[in-house]
Amino acid sequence: MSPDSSGQSVVGTVVRFTAGDASVDVTIDEDTPATRDFVSLLPMNLELEDFDASEKIAYLPRELDWDGTPGSDPEDGDLIYYTPWGNIGFFYDATGMGYSDQVLHLGTYDATEAELAEFEGQQTTVEAVD
């Protein structure tokens, strides 16, 4: 495994998204340039919106350094980074999605679409938790 800039692997890092009373934890389960750079941005604030009735997306403050990160075949419950737009996405309906070099896996979460909808249009705090 490659370490992040602090010398620690990011695998197992729990990233909490919080808006009001709603929260969703994402577990980083791969150590890639994209996941290390995503974790390096924390803490940050984002605003999520629905996209294509399949994912909740948010634009990061800057593009991730993802060179060398493999693409993925996204599934429901995946947090991904979409390279052309520089956004993250919580997939809740990945039906019909196939492998793409432009969709990078960041981590996994356990929440329903209704739970994710609580974040729409609200300031969302994103931070690593112990």
Side-chain angles (χ1 to χ4, degrees), residues 17-53:
F17 289 72
T18 307
D21 293 334
S23 71
V24 171
D25 288 349
V26 174
T27 302
I28 305 296
D29 50 13
E30 294 180 12
D31 193 38
T32 66
T35 57
R36 288 190 298 275
D37 200 27
F38 176 68
V39 170
S40 79
L41 289 174
L42 303 176
M44 66 179 147
N45 292 310
L46 302 172
E47 190 169 307
L48 277 74
E49 61 187 77
D50 193 70
F51 179 75
D52 201 29

CSV table of all heavy atoms in Angstrom, one decimal, residues 17-53:
chain,number,residue,atom,x,y,z
A,17,PHE,N,-20.2,12.7,6.3
A,17,PHE,CA,-20.9,13.7,5.7
A,17,PHE,C,-22.0,14.1,6.6
A,17,PHE,O,-22.9,13.2,7.0
A,17,PHE,CB,-21.5,13.3,4.3
A,17,PHE,CG,-20.4,13.1,3.3
A,17,PHE,CD1,-19.5,12.0,3.3
A,17,PHE,CD2,-20.3,14.0,2.2
A,17,PHE,CE1,-18.5,11.8,2.3
A,17,PHE,CE2,-19.3,13.8,1.2
A,17,PHE,CZ,-18.5,12.7,1.3
A,18,THR,N,-22.1,15.4,7.1
A,18,THR,CA,-23.2,15.8,8.0
A,18,THR,C,-23.9,17.0,7.5
A,18,THR,O,-23.2,18.0,7.1
A,18,THR,CB,-22.5,16.1,9.4
A,18,THR,OG1,-21.8,14.9,9.8
A,18,THR,CG2,-23.6,16.3,10.4
A,19,ALA,N,-25.2,17.0,7.6
A,19,ALA,CA,-26.0,18.2,7.3
A,19,ALA,C,-27.2,18.2,8.2
A,19,ALA,O,-28.0,17.3,8.2
A,19,ALA,CB,-26.5,18.2,5.8
A,20,GLY,N,-27.3,19.1,9.1
A,20,GLY,CA,-28.3,19.1,10.1
A,20,GLY,C,-28.2,17.8,11.0
A,20,GLY,O,-27.2,17.5,11.5
A,21,ASP,N,-29.4,17.1,11.1
A,21,ASP,CA,-29.4,15.9,11.8
A,21,ASP,C,-29.0,14.7,11.0
A,21,ASP,O,-28.9,13.5,11.5
A,21,ASP,CB,-30.8,15.6,12.4
A,21,ASP,CG,-31.2,16.7,13.4
A,21,ASP,OD1,-30.3,17.2,14.1
A,21,ASP,OD2,-32.4,16.9,13.6
A,22,ALA,N,-28.8,14.8,9.7
A,22,ALA,CA,-28.4,13.7,8.8
A,22,ALA,C,-26.9,13.5,8.8
A,22,ALA,O,-26.1,14.5,8.7
A,22,ALA,CB,-29.0,14.0,7.4
A,23,SER,N,-26.5,12.2,8.8
A,23,SER,CA,-25.1,11.9,8.6
A,23,SER,C,-25.0,10.6,7.9
A,23,SER,O,-25.8,9.7,8.0
A,23,SER,CB,-24.3,11.9,9.9
A,23,SER,OG,-24.6,10.8,10.7
A,24,VAL,N,-23.9,10.5,7.0
A,24,VAL,CA,-23.6,9.3,6.3
A,24,VAL,C,-22.1,9.1,6.4
A,24,VAL,O,-21.3,10.1,6.2
A,24,VAL,CB,-24.0,9.3,4.8
A,24,VAL,CG1,-23.5,8.1,4.1
A,24,VAL,CG2,-25.5,9.4,4.7
A,25,ASP,N,-21.7,7.9,6.8
A,25,ASP,CA,-20.3,7.6,6.9
A,25,ASP,C,-19.8,6.8,5.6
A,25,ASP,O,-20.5,5.9,5.2
A,25,ASP,CB,-19.9,6.7,8.1
A,25,ASP,CG,-20.1,7.5,9.4
A,25,ASP,OD1,-20.2,8.8,9.4
A,25,ASP,OD2,-20.0,6.9,10.5
A,26,VAL,N,-18.7,7.2,5.1
A,26,VAL,CA,-18.1,6.6,3.9
A,26,VAL,C,-16.8,6.0,4.4
A,26,VAL,O,-16.0,6.7,5.1
A,26,VAL,CB,-17.8,7.5,2.8
A,26,VAL,CG1,-17.0,6.9,1.7
A,26,VAL,CG2,-19.1,8.1,2.3
A,27,THR,N,-16.6,4.7,4.1
A,27,THR,CA,-15.3,4.0,4.5
A,27,THR,C,-14.4,4.0,3.2
A,27,THR,O,-14.8,3.4,2.2
A,27,THR,CB,-15.5,2.6,5.0
A,27,THR,OG1,-16.4,2.7,6.2
A,27,THR,CG2,-14.2,2.0,5.4
A,28,ILE,N,-13.2,4.6,3.3
A,28,ILE,CA,-12.3,4.5,2.2
A,28,ILE,C,-11.7,3.1,2.2
A,28,ILE,O,-11.1,2.6,3.2
A,28,ILE,CB,-11.1,5.5,2.4
A,28,ILE,CG1,-11.7,7.0,2.6
A,28,ILE,CG2,-10.1,5.5,1.3
A,28,ILE,CD1,-12.5,7.5,1.4
A,29,ASP,N,-11.9,2.4,1.1
A,29,ASP,CA,-11.4,1.0,1.1
A,29,ASP,C,-10.4,0.7,0.0
A,29,ASP,O,-10.1,-0.5,-0.2
A,29,ASP,CB,-12.7,0.1,1.0
A,29,ASP,CG,-13.6,0.4,-0.2
A,29,ASP,OD1,-13.2,1.3,-1.0
A,29,ASP,OD2,-14.7,-0.1,-0.2
A,30,GLU,N,-9.8,1.7,-0.5
A,30,GLU,CA,-8.7,1.5,-1.5
A,30,GLU,C,-7.7,2.6,-1.2
A,30,GLU,O,-8.0,3.7,-0.8
A,30,GLU,CB,-9.1,1.6,-2.9
A,30,GLU,CG,-10.1,0.5,-3.3
A,30,GLU,CD,-10.5,0.6,-4.8
A,30,GLU,OE1,-9.9,1.4,-5.6
A,30,GLU,OE2,-11.4,-0.1,-5.2
A,31,ASP,N,-6.4,2.3,-1.4
A,31,ASP,CA,-5.4,3.3,-1.3
A,31,ASP,C,-4.9,3.7,-2.7
A,31,ASP,O,-4.1,2.9,-3.3
A,31,ASP,CB,-4.2,2.8,-0.4
A,31,ASP,CG,-3.3,3.8,0.0
A,31,ASP,OD1,-3.7,5.0,0.3
A,31,ASP,OD2,-2.0,3.6,0.0
A,32,THR,N,-5.4,4.8,-3.2
A,32,THR,CA,-5.0,5.2,-4.6
A,32,THR,C,-4.7,6.7,-4.5
A,32,THR,O,-4.9,7.4,-3.5
A,32,THR,CB,-6.2,5.0,-5.5
A,32,THR,OG1,-7.3,5.9,-5.1
A,32,THR,CG2,-6.7,3.6,-5.6
A,33,PRO,N,-4.1,7.2,-5.6
A,33,PRO,CA,-3.8,8.6,-5.6
A,33,PRO,C,-5.1,9.5,-5.4
A,33,PRO,O,-5.1,10.5,-4.7
A,33,PRO,CB,-3.3,8.9,-7.0
A,33,PRO,CG,-2.6,7.6,-7.4
A,33,PRO,CD,-3.5,6.5,-6.8
A,34,ALA,N,-6.2,9.0,-6.0
A,34,ALA,CA,-7.5,9.8,-5.8
A,34,ALA,C,-8.0,9.7,-4.3
A,34,ALA,O,-8.4,10.8,-3.8
A,34,ALA,CB,-8.6,9.2,-6.7
A,35,THR,N,-7.9,8.6,-3.7
A,35,THR,CA,-8.4,8.5,-2.3
A,35,THR,C,-7.5,9.3,-1.4
A,35,THR,O,-8.0,10.0,-0.5
A,35,THR,CB,-8.6,7.0,-1.8
A,35,THR,OG1,-7.3,6.4,-1.9
A,35,THR,CG2,-9.7,6.3,-2.6
A,36,ARG,N,-6.2,9.2,-1.6
A,36,ARG,CA,-5.3,10.0,-0.7
A,36,ARG,C,-5.5,11.5,-0.9
A,36,ARG,O,-5.5,12.2,0.1
A,36,ARG,CB,-3.8,9.6,-1.1
A,36,ARG,CG,-3.4,8.2,-0.6
A,36,ARG,CD,-2.0,8.0,-0.7
A,36,ARG,NE,-1.4,8.0,-2.1
A,36,ARG,CZ,-1.4,7.0,-2.9
A,36,ARG,NH1,-1.9,5.9,-2.6
A,36,ARG,NH2,-0.9,7.2,-4.1
A,37,ASP,N,-5.7,11.9,-2.1
A,37,ASP,CA,-6.0,13.4,-2.4
A,37,ASP,C,-7.3,13.8,-1.8
A,37,ASP,O,-7.4,14.9,-1.2
A,37,ASP,CB,-5.8,13.7,-3.8
A,37,ASP,CG,-5.6,15.2,-4.1
A,37,ASP,OD1,-5.0,15.9,-3.2
A,37,ASP,OD2,-6.0,15.7,-5.1
A,38,PHE,N,-8.3,12.9,-1.9
A,38,PHE,CA,-9.7,13.3,-1.4
A,38,PHE,C,-9.5,13.5,0.2
A,38,PHE,O,-10.0,14.5,0.7
A,38,PHE,CB,-10.6,12.1,-1.7
A,38,PHE,CG,-12.0,12.3,-1.1
A,38,PHE,CD1,-12.8,13.3,-1.4
A,38,PHE,CD2,-12.4,11.5,-0.1
A,38,PHE,CE1,-14.1,13.5,-0.9
A,38,PHE,CE2,-13.7,11.6,0.5
A,38,PHE,CZ,-14.5,12.7,0.1
A,39,VAL,N,-8.9,12.5,0.8
A,39,VAL,CA,-8.7,12.6,2.3
A,39,VAL,C,-7.9,13.9,2.6
A,39,VAL,O,-8.2,14.5,3.7
A,39,VAL,CB,-8.1,11.3,2.9
A,39,VAL,CG1,-7.7,11.5,4.3
A,39,VAL,CG2,-9.1,10.2,2.7
A,40,SER,N,-7.0,14.3,1.8
A,40,SER,CA,-6.1,15.4,2.1
A,40,SER,C,-6.9,16.7,2.1
A,40,SER,O,-6.5,17.7,2.7
A,40,SER,CB,-5.0,15.5,1.1
A,40,SER,OG,-5.4,16.1,-0.1
A,41,LEU,N,-8.1,16.7,1.4
A,41,LEU,CA,-8.9,17.9,1.3
A,41,LEU,C,-9.8,18.2,2.6
A,41,LEU,O,-10.3,19.3,2.8
A,41,LEU,CB,-9.9,17.8,0.2
A,41,LEU,CG,-9.4,17.9,-1.2
A,41,LEU,CD1,-10.5,17.7,-2.3
A,41,LEU,CD2,-8.8,19.3,-1.5
A,42,LEU,N,-9.8,17.2,3.5
A,42,LEU,CA,-10.7,17.3,4.7
A,42,LEU,C,-10.1,18.1,5.7
A,42,LEU,O,-8.9,18.1,5.9
A,42,LEU,CB,-11.0,15.8,5.2
A,42,LEU,CG,-11.6,14.9,4.2
A,42,LEU,CD1,-11.7,13.5,4.7
A,42,LEU,CD2,-12.9,15.4,3.6
A,43,PRO,N,-10.9,18.8,6.5
A,43,PRO,CA,-12.4,19.0,6.4
A,43,PRO,C,-12.7,20.0,5.3
A,43,PRO,O,-11.9,20.8,4.9
A,43,PRO,CB,-12.8,19.5,7.8
A,43,PRO,CG,-11.6,20.3,8.2
A,43,PRO,CD,-10.4,19.6,7.6
A,44,MET,N,-14.0,19.8,4.8
A,44,MET,CA,-14.5,20.8,3.8
A,44,MET,C,-16.0,20.8,3.9
A,44,MET,O,-16.6,20.0,4.6
A,44,MET,CB,-14.0,20.4,2.4
A,44,MET,CG,-14.6,19.0,1.9
A,44,MET,SD,-14.0,18.7,0.3
A,44,MET,CE,-14.0,16.9,0.3
A,45,ASN,N,-16.6,21.8,3.2
A,45,ASN,CA,-18.0,21.9,3.1
A,45,ASN,C,-18.5,21.8,1.7
A,45,ASN,O,-17.8,22.4,0.8
A,45,ASN,CB,-18.5,23.3,3.7
A,45,ASN,CG,-18.3,23.3,5.2
A,45,ASN,OD1,-18.7,22.5,5.9
A,45,ASN,ND2,-17.7,24.4,5.6
A,46,LEU,N,-19.5,21.1,1.4
A,46,LEU,CA,-20.1,20.8,0.1
A,46,LEU,C,-21.6,21.0,0.1
A,46,LEU,O,-22.2,21.0,1.2
A,46,LEU,CB,-19.7,19.4,-0.4
A,46,LEU,CG,-18.3,19.0,-0.4
A,46,LEU,CD1,-18.2,17.5,-0.7
A,46,LEU,CD2,-17.5,19.8,-1.5
A,47,GLU,N,-22.2,21.0,-1.1
A,47,GLU,CA,-23.6,21.0,-1.2
A,47,GLU,C,-24.0,19.9,-2.2
A,47,GLU,O,-23.5,19.9,-3.3
A,47,GLU,CB,-24.2,22.3,-1.7
A,47,GLU,CG,-25.7,22.4,-1.5
A,47,GLU,CD,-26.2,23.8,-1.7
A,47,GLU,OE1,-25.7,24.7,-1.0
A,47,GLU,OE2,-27.1,24.0,-2.6
A,48,LEU,N,-24.8,18.9,-1.8
A,48,LEU,CA,-25.2,17.8,-2.7
A,48,LEU,C,-26.5,18.2,-3.4
A,48,LEU,O,-27.3,18.9,-2.9
A,48,LEU,CB,-25.4,16.6,-1.9
A,48,LEU,CG,-24.1,15.7,-1.5
A,48,LEU,CD1,-23.3,16.4,-0.5
A,48,LEU,CD2,-24.5,14.3,-1.1
A,49,GLU,N,-26.6,17.6,-4.6
A,49,GLU,CA,-27.8,17.7,-5.5
A,49,GLU,C,-28.0,16.4,-6.1
A,49,GLU,O,-27.1,15.5,-6.2
A,49,GLU,CB,-27.6,18.8,-6.5
A,49,GLU,CG,-26.4,18.6,-7.5
A,49,GLU,CD,-26.2,19.7,-8.4
A,49,GLU,OE1,-25.5,20.7,-7.9
A,49,GLU,OE2,-26.5,19.6,-9.6
A,50,ASP,N,-29.2,16.1,-6.6
A,50,ASP,CA,-29.5,14.9,-7.3
A,50,ASP,C,-29.1,15.0,-8.7
A,50,ASP,O,-29.2,16.1,-9.3
A,50,ASP,CB,-31.0,14.6,-7.2
A,50,ASP,CG,-31.3,13.1,-7.6
A,50,ASP,OD1,-30.9,12.2,-6.9
A,50,ASP,OD2,-31.8,12.9,-8.8
A,51,PHE,N,-28.6,13.9,-9.3
A,51,PHE,CA,-28.2,13.8,-10.7
A,51,PHE,C,-28.8,12.6,-11.3
A,51,PHE,O,-28.5,11.5,-10.8
A,51,PHE,CB,-26.7,13.9,-10.8
A,51,PHE,CG,-26.3,13.8,-12.3
A,51,PHE,CD1,-26.4,14.9,-13.1
A,51,PHE,CD2,-25.8,12.6,-12.8
A,51,PHE,CE1,-26.1,14.8,-14.4
A,51,PHE,CE2,-25.4,12.6,-14.2
A,51,PHE,CZ,-25.6,13.7,-15.0
A,52,ASP,N,-29.6,12.7,-12.3
A,52,ASP,CA,-30.1,11.7,-13.1
A,52,ASP,C,-30.8,10.6,-12.4
A,52,ASP,O,-30.8,9.4,-12.8
A,52,ASP,CB,-28.9,11.1,-13.9
A,52,ASP,CG,-29.4,10.3,-15.2
A,52,ASP,OD1,-30.5,10.7,-15.7
A,52,ASP,OD2,-28.7,9.4,-15.6
A,53,ALA,N,-31.4,10.9,-11.2
A,53,ALA,CA,-32.2,9.9,-10.4
A,53,ALA,C,-31.3,8.7,-10.1
A,53,ALA,O,-31.9,7.6,-10.0
A,53,ALA,CB,-33.5,9.6,-11.0
